[in-house]
């Protein structure tokens, strides 16, 4: 065993705890045990500042840090930003009943944990064990830090035969390294070897992951479900259930699994982002809204803060904005507008982010029917797009969409023609087709509106034949609305009443009524409809039909 | 919320409160001249006993609920030393000897086994022992043995007729240790407790874990 005093004296240590007594007591104990270089942080933000600035050999963090990030998140960020070497130690300090959850992490698990409450002697024993093991694994860690994974594997394999008592920590490392190198069969073998002797959940999760990658996803799912019966708090199992279900084309079920994971551990930013993404894809916008909002809030002061999160949030909320000007809707709109403001502030100069912001903003204004603002956003998007050196097809398609949405048909058509000439991928081709369809529909709607207006003009001047000509042309499009059809009917009835019976016109009226179908008495056009129907019946009788 | 869960939550909080009370008392003692220590010692001892009792209650509740106890690599020498630390205060005159080797290793829930050892040591102390010795062997499964020089077990307990002969205390002692042993299982193998009297006098209890 190592000499703890000796081992600690040249180590740089970070202590994280939100309670002042706990911090000073830990620092005092470590000083007695031989530590000389220590920093203390009160919350996740401060801890991350320290970690980004200095290289620590040991981080001792409490799991529960009050309001902000928890210890697990600090660990995730530190590893995600590669600020913690494999050879350094991250030790979580936690209540006994949270050990399972804390050590359940397979992706970013702490090297070890210390359960509270502990005495000086307990801390001494625990640290001695942890550092002794770490020292024996030093060679493996050095290879991992150097990116030489195959060498790390070889070293770990040798250690495993040499020190049977290090089986658990070694298999934990080795399993992950095998999976990283896609050597699933070997990973599966060592996990199974361990499970024959010991019932450990992380090995069962490891097995499930290997089985999934080896193509037996259904079996992997079943294994995970069984593990969850024993350990319902084992969050990573839900994550993997979601990954597997998604790969099997069952995104709704995947979302349910992630929702459970988020319920147990709501502070993990990456998981919230994944839930938002899947929920959006499933068109479950309320869940997507909540998940992205959490991800934004939790990620605000972290390495996970991304513009993408804000944009996805706004886009999800946009789908919920429809209808009503009640308080909830107002708050929602405010939240989205605030997200746009934050994007403009924090990502100024990143043209593609600015462009996306204008696009989503424009769509939001279209949704709430504010045409002027939508047009302004589209213009801003156009400016931002102009600043992007080589805009890709996806961006240009979004621009074309904004043109269509804001009625700038000429610009939309020009851009779409250009894109078509450049040749698009299948996915983009489909998007273009959808845009063309909606553009055509809009053109027709505008055309029929013009014809309708002309008809109304003629009708008011008593030029019934000309009016009928215009209305009939408009009614020829199947997109023609009920008002156009009623106008046509009225013009035809007026013509007959003012000149003579005309069976052809009367038949047209019949056809148009058929197209309109039955009309509910709540409809604002009901009275007019009833009146015309009455005149039509009268004329029909007069014609002897 | 069920009543029993509320009770469990209260006891859990009680345990934490008692722990911090103990910390304050120890801090206070360290600040006070040694000649006054005997005034505070009884308070410290009783707080410690209450803490150990509530720990027992919390674990008992979780054992009865069949909740999951995470198991991990653990070292009996450390566990025994923690148990001795937790109980020595109560019995300052008893000699507690930890003879477990440094490298002896097991796979168990450290908190539970520590509690089991505290319970066994308490039993020995109440049986009039003044020397208690802890040994362990990990060559085939893990066996931790607590031996004392007290009056040994009554025949009725050795034969399994009774669980306790104590008139004071919770009387849960051995029963609790058995529950803890049985919470450690690996496939077919289940932990167990073996009791015996030593030929030279005194009791011997062995906790065997798969």
């Amino acid at each position: 065993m190592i000499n703890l005093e000796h081992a600690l004296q040249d180590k740089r240590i970070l202590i994280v705890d939100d309670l002042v007594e706990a911090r000073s007591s830990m620092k005092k104990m470590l000083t007695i045990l031989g530590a000389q270089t220590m920093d203390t942080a009160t919350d996740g933000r401060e801890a991350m500042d320290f970690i980004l600035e200095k290289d620590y050999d040991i981080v001792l963090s409490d799991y529960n840090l009050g309001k902000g990030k928890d210890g697990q998140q600090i660990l995730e960020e530190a590893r995600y930003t590669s600020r913690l070497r494999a050879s350094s130690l991250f030790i979580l300090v936690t209540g006994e009943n949270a050990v399972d959850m804390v050590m359940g992490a397979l992706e970013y698990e702490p090297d070890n944990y210390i359960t509270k409450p502990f005495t000086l002697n307990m801390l001494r024993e625990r640290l001695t064990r942890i550092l002794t093991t770490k020292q024996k694994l030093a060679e493996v860690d050095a290879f991992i830090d150097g990116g030489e994974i195959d060498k790390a594997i070889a070293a770990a394999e040798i250690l495993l035969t040499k020190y049977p008592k290090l089986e658990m920590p070694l298999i934990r490392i080795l399993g992950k390294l095998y999976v990283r190198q896609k050597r699933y069969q070997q990973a599966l073998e060592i996990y199974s070897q361990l499970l024959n002797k010991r019932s450990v959940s992380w090995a069962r999760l490891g097995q499930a992951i290997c089985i999934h990658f080896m193509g037996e996803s259904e079996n992997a799912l079943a294994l995970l479900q069984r593990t969850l019966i024993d350990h319902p708090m084992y969050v990573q199992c839900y994550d993997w259930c979601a990954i597997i279900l998604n790969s099997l084309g069952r995104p709704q079920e995947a979302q349910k699994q992630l929702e459970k994971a988020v319920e147990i551990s709501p502070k993990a930013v990456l998981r919230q982002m994944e839930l938002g993404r899947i929920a959006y894809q499933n068109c479950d916008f309320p869940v997507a809204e909540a998940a992205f909002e959490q991800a934004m809030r939790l990620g605000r002061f972290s390495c996970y803060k991304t513009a993408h999160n804000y944009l996805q949030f706004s886009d999800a909320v946009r789908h919920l904005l429809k209808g009503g000007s009640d308080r909830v809707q107002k708050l929602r709109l405010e939240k989205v507008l605030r997200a746009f403001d934050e994007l403009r502030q924090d990502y100024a100069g990143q043209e593609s982010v600015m462009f996306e912001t204008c696009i989503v903003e424009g769509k939001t204004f279209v949704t709430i029917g504010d045409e002027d603002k939508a047009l302004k956003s589209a213009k801003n998007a156009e400016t931002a797009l102009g600043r992007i050196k080589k805009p890709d097809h996806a961006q240009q398609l979004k621009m074309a969409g904004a043109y269509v949405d804001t009625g700038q048909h000429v610009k939309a058509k020009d851009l779409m023609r250009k894109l078509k000439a450049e040749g698009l991928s299948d996915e983009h081709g489909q998007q273009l087709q959808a845009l063309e369809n909606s553009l055509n529909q809009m053109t027709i709607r505008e055309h029929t509106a013009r014809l309708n207006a002309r008809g109304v003009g003629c009708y008011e001047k008593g030029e019934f034949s000309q009016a009928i000509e215009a209305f009939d042309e408009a009614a020829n499009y199947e997109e023609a609305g009920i008002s156009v059809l009623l106008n046509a009917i009225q013009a035809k009835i007026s013509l007959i009443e003012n000149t003579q019976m005309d069976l052809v016109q009367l038949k047209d009226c019949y056809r148009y009524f058929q197209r309109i179908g039955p009309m509910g008495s709540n409809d604002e056009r009901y009275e007019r409809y009833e009146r015309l129907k009455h005149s039509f019946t009268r004329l029909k009788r007069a014609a002897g039909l | 919320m069920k009543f029993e869960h509320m009770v469990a939550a209260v006891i859990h909080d009680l345990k934490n409160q008692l722990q911090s009370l103990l910390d304050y008392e120890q801090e206070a003692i360290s600040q006070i001249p040694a000649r006054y220590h005997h005034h505070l010692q009884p308070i410290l001892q009783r707080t410690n006993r209450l803490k150990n009792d509530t720990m027992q209650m919390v674990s008992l509740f979780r054992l009865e609920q069949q909740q999951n106890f995470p198991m991990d690599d653990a070292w009996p020498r450390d566990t025994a030393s923690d148990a001795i630390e937790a109980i020595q205060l109560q019995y300052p005159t008893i000699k507690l000897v930890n003879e477990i080797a440094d490298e002896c290793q097991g796979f168990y829930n450290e908190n539970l086994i520590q509690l089991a050892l505290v319970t066994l040591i308490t039993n020995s102390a109440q049986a009039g022992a003044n020397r208690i010795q802890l040994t362990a062997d990990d060559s085939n499964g893990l066996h931790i043995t607590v031996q004392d020089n007290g009056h040994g077990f009554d025949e009725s307990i050795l034969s399994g007729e009774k669980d306790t002969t104590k008139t004071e205390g919770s009387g849960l002692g051995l029963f609790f240790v058995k529950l803890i042993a049985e919470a450690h299982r690996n496939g077919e193998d289940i932990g167990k407790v073996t009791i015996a009297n030593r030929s030279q006098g005194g009791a011997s209890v062995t906790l065997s874990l798969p």
Side-chain angles (χ1 to χ4, degrees):
Chain A
M1 291 229 285
I2 54 141
N3 175 326
L4 187 61
E5 195 173 333
H6 203 256
L8 283 181
Q9 69 184 11
D10 60 347
K11 298 271 191 291
R12 182 180 282 280
I13 302 172
L14 178 64
I15 299 163
V16 193
D17 204 308
D18 57 328
L19 302 175
V20 58
E21 301 92 359
R23 265 197 319 275
S24 62
S25 133
M26 177 65 99
K27 192 169 177 179
K28 206 164 104 188
M29 285 187 187
L30 287 173
T31 310
I32 297 171
L33 296 178
Q36 291 175 0
T37 323
M38 284 171 284
D39 292 311
T40 54
T42 60
D43 59 23
R45 260 172 94 179
E46 207 182 330
M48 273 320 291
D49 286 346
F50 272 122
I51 291 171
L52 291 173
E53 189 190 320
K54 300 178 187 172
D55 283 327
Y56 287 98
D57 301 297
I58 301 175
V59 179
L60 271 158
S61 171
D62 199 77
Y63 177 73
N64 194 344
L65 295 172
K67 265 189 181 171
K69 290 172 193 166
D70 59 31
Q72 178 72 31
Q73 287 173 276
I74 298 178
L75 167 67
E76 281 183 18
E77 270 196 56
R79 295 247 198 262
Y80 186 82
T81 50
S82 306
R83 286 297 303 153
L84 270 188
R85 288 164 280 122
S87 44
S88 49
L89 275 169
F90 193 102
I91 302 170
L92 269 181
V93 182
T94 164
E96 196 249 339
N97 40 9
V99 170
D100 227 12
M101 215 173 112
V102 164
M103 289 311 282
L106 197 83
E107 181 75 42
Y108 296 117
E109 87 271 34
D111 294 278
N112 230 307
Y113 57 91
I114 293 178
T115 54
K116 286 191 293 189
F118 52 84
T119 61
L120 176 66
N121 279 330
M122 288 160 88
L123 184 64
R124 175 187 290 126
E125 292 160 2
R126 194 80 189 149
L127 283 179
T128 306
R129 296 289 177 189
I130 293 172
L131 288 169
T132 303
T133 306
K134 197 70 178 169
Q135 194 188 43
K136 286 186 181 150
L137 301 177
E139 192 192 353
V140 180
D141 288 332
F143 282 129
I144 295 176
D145 280 332
E148 298 179 281
I149 303 306
D150 287 321
K151 282 189 183 167
I153 289 178
E157 284 167 343
I158 292 169
L159 286 180
L160 194 56
T161 51
K162 196 167 148 195
Y163 301 117
K165 284 190 174 174
L166 286 182
E167 192 179 32
M168 292 249 290
L170 274 170
I171 288 185
R172 210 174 160 113
I173 296 174
L174 205 46
K176 271 168 59 177
L177 293 178
Y178 281 143
V179 169
R180 192 160 147 184
Q181 302 299 87
K182 300 198 167 51
R183 290 157 72 172
Y184 303 120
Q185 186 60 46
Q186 277 164 300
L188 189 60
E189 274 163 25
I190 52 161
Y191 284 136
S192 309
Q193 178 196 321
L194 181 64
L195 284 168
N196 277 338
K197 278 185 272 179
R198 300 207 153 147
S199 165
V200 271
S201 299
W202 54 260
R204 221 165 277 129
L205 173 58
Q207 261 189 333
I209 292 170
C210 295
I211 293 173
H212 163 61
F213 282 127
M214 289 163 81
E216 308 257 341
S217 299
E218 292 288 352
N219 290 341
L221 259 186
L223 182 59
L224 289 174
Q225 310 285 19
R226 279 204 302 279
T227 310
L228 278 171
I229 291 173
D230 290 339
H231 291 183
M233 296 292 275
Y234 198 177
V235 203
Q236 265 68 24
C237 282
Y238 293 109
D239 289 340
W240 277 95
C241 281
I243 292 173
I244 295 172
L245 284 165
N246 215 14
S247 78
L248 291 171
R250 289 148 71 179
Q252 264 89 8
E253 289 167 74
Q255 183 187 327
K256 285 279 160 289
Q257 297 292 323
L258 279 176
E259 283 178 46
K260 280 184 204 157
V262 160
E263 202 177 302
I264 298 171
S265 160
K267 283 189 175 178
V269 189
L270 292 176
R271 185 178 295 120
Q272 293 280 7
M273 280 159 68
E274 181 62 13
L275 174 58
R277 200 188 60 74
I278 283 201
Y280 186 90
Q281 186 189 314
N282 289 338
C283 295
D284 188 342
F285 300 115
V287 171
E289 178 193 30
F292 284 129
E293 195 171 6
Q294 281 292 85
M296 264 162 43
R297 197 175 60 74
L298 295 164
R300 191 158 279 145
F301 302 106
S302 80
C303 62
Y304 301 123
K305 179 177 168 134
T306 65
H308 198 58
N309 240 332
Y310 287 74
L311 290 167
Q312 283 183 302
F313 166 73
S314 319
D315 208 28
V317 174
R318 184 175 63 84
H319 286 89
L320 296 167
L321 270 175
K322 278 163 214 159
S325 57
D326 56 45
R327 235 184 49 131
V328 180
Q329 290 289 342
K330 244 188 196 159
L331 281 175
R332 222 172 229 147
L333 185 62
E334 274 171 26
K335 267 194 296 194
V336 187
L337 296 181
R338 217 177 308 131
F340 295 138
D341 284 346
E342 211 170 315
L343 277 165
R344 290 217 163 83
Q345 258 171 35
D346 297 347
Y347 298 94
Q350 292 188 34
E351 291 310 333
S352 60
V353 175
M354 289 303 104
F355 170 70
E356 299 279 343
T357 306
C358 296
I359 291 289
V360 181
E361 188 185 53
K363 281 191 196 168
T364 309
F365 287 131
V366 170
T367 311
I368 59 168
D370 194 332
E371 288 175 19
D372 293 343
K373 285 190 177 157
L375 193 62
K376 209 175 137 205
S377 296
K379 290 221 164 97
N380 289 336
E382 195 178 275
T383 315
L385 190 69
R387 291 206 192 102
I388 299 173
K389 270 190 191 144
K390 270 194 175 167
D392 58 26
H393 283 161
Q395 287 169 326
Q396 296 185 65
L397 276 165
K398 281 180 188 160
M399 191 68 241
Y403 285 145
V404 172
D405 284 346
T406 50
Q408 307 184 64
H409 295 178
V410 181
K411 281 185 178 172
K413 274 184 195 152
D414 286 348
L415 185 52
M416 281 154 72
R417 204 174 304 126
K418 175 181 155 268
L419 284 169
K420 221 176 197 170
E422 284 173 13
L424 294 174
S425 69
D426 281 357
E427 191 198 340
H428 289 154
Q430 277 168 17
Q431 285 177 17
L432 187 75
Q433 189 58 50
L435 273 180
E436 269 178 351
N437 290 346
S438 70
L439 187 62
N440 288 341
Q441 268 177 21
M442 283 174 104
T443 317
I444 289 166
R445 230 176 286 139
E446 272 173 23
H447 183 58
T448 53
R450 264 198 308 277
L451 286 169
N452 187 49
R454 200 174 86 205
V456 171
C458 295
Y459 184 88
E460 279 166 358
K461 280 186 263 170
E463 299 165 353
F464 300 125
S465 301
Q466 285 91 327
I468 289 171
E469 201 180 308
F471 289 138
D472 274 346
E473 200 184 332
N476 262 338
Y477 296 101
E478 52 186 285
E479 289 86 355
I482 289 175
S483 301
V484 172
L485 296 173
L486 287 175
N487 285 348
I489 292 169
Q490 187 174 336
K492 285 168 199 279
I493 289 174
S494 298
L495 181 72
I496 295 173
E497 282 177 340
N498 283 292
T499 54
Q500 56 183 344
M501 178 53 68
D502 185 333
L503 287 180
V504 177
Q505 300 291 3
L506 212 54
K507 260 187 200 154
D508 282 346
C509 289
Y510 174 75
R511 249 187 334 115
Y512 290 160
F513 274 123
Q514 290 292 101
R515 263 171 75 180
I516 293 171
M519 186 179 282
S521 55
N522 304 333
D523 198 299
E524 55 186 21
R525 293 161 301 203
Y526 180 71
E527 212 177 301
R528 183 172 174 221
Y529 170 86
E530 278 293 295
R531 208 165 2 93
L532 288 171
K533 192 109 201 199
H534 188 74
S535 304
F536 169 69
T537 320
R538 183 169 43 78
L539 288 177
K540 220 168 62 170
R541 252 201 318 271
L545 292 170
Chain B
M1 203 191 211
K2 278 188 187 163
F3 181 67
E4 56 196 45
H5 288 111
M6 222 160 76
V7 173
V10 170
I11 297 175
H12 191 85
D13 185 56
L14 209 57
K15 181 200 86 177
N16 293 341
Q17 295 296 329
L18 285 165
Q19 177 63 46
S20 55
L21 193 59
L22 205 56
D23 291 342
Y24 282 124
E25 289 169 7
Q26 261 155 350
E27 181 63 24
I29 283 198
S30 72
Q31 309 268 337
I32 290 168
R35 62 180 189 280
Y36 299 118
H37 281 190
H38 68 279
H39 290 301
L40 278 172
Q41 214 65 35
I43 302 176
L44 199 60
Q45 280 175 1
R46 275 164 184 75
T47 315
N48 194 49
R49 180 175 154 187
L50 283 174
K51 187 206 73 182
N52 286 340
D53 284 354
T54 43
M55 292 264 276
Q56 197 178 26
M57 296 275 275
V58 170
S59 307
L60 200 58
F61 177 77
R62 288 181 57 195
L63 281 168
E64 295 249 297
Q65 296 279 308
Q66 308 229 306
Q67 285 185 24
N68 173 54
F69 284 91
M71 296 202 255
D72 203 350
D73 275 343
W75 294 270
R77 184 180 174 82
D78 295 355
T79 314
S81 132
D82 297 346
I84 291 172
E85 197 186 358
I87 195 76
Q88 183 79 73
L89 202 57
Q90 232 77 4
Y91 306 104
T93 55
I94 296 180
K95 190 159 176 50
L96 291 159
V97 194
N98 184 353
E99 289 188 345
I100 303 171
D102 256 340
E103 59 279 4
C104 178
Q105 189 177 325
F107 179 71
Y108 54 82
N109 181 292
E110 207 171 2
N111 288 66
L112 279 186
I113 298 302
Q114 189 200 319
L115 269 181
L117 294 181
V118 166
T119 309
L120 291 177
I121 294 170
T122 309
N123 275 357
S124 295
Q126 286 171 349
N130 61 20
R131 188 179 193 282
I132 301 168
Q133 180 188 10
L134 289 96
T135 54
D137 172 22
D138 66 350
S139 54
N140 179 24
L142 176 67
H143 308 276
I144 306 176
T145 303
V146 180
Q147 290 179 311
D148 67 45
N149 60 355
H151 58 56
F153 289 107
D154 283 5
E155 199 48 49
S156 63
I157 293 186
L158 281 178
S159 66
E161 275 171 47
K162 286 185 188 167
D163 272 332
T164 182
T165 51
K166 265 184 274 173
T167 46
E168 56 174 320
S170 66
L172 276 174
L174 267 183
F175 171 72
F176 182 56
V177 177
K178 267 184 206 155
L179 274 186
I180 290 178
E182 284 160 10
H184 289 80
R185 50 179 71 213
N186 182 24
E188 305 278 286
D189 297 333
I190 299 174
K192 62 178 204 282
V193 182
T194 323
I195 59 173
N197 281 333
R198 304 164 73 198
S199 52
Q200 64 270 52
S204 167
V205 181
T206 299
L207 191 59
S208 303
L209 304 175

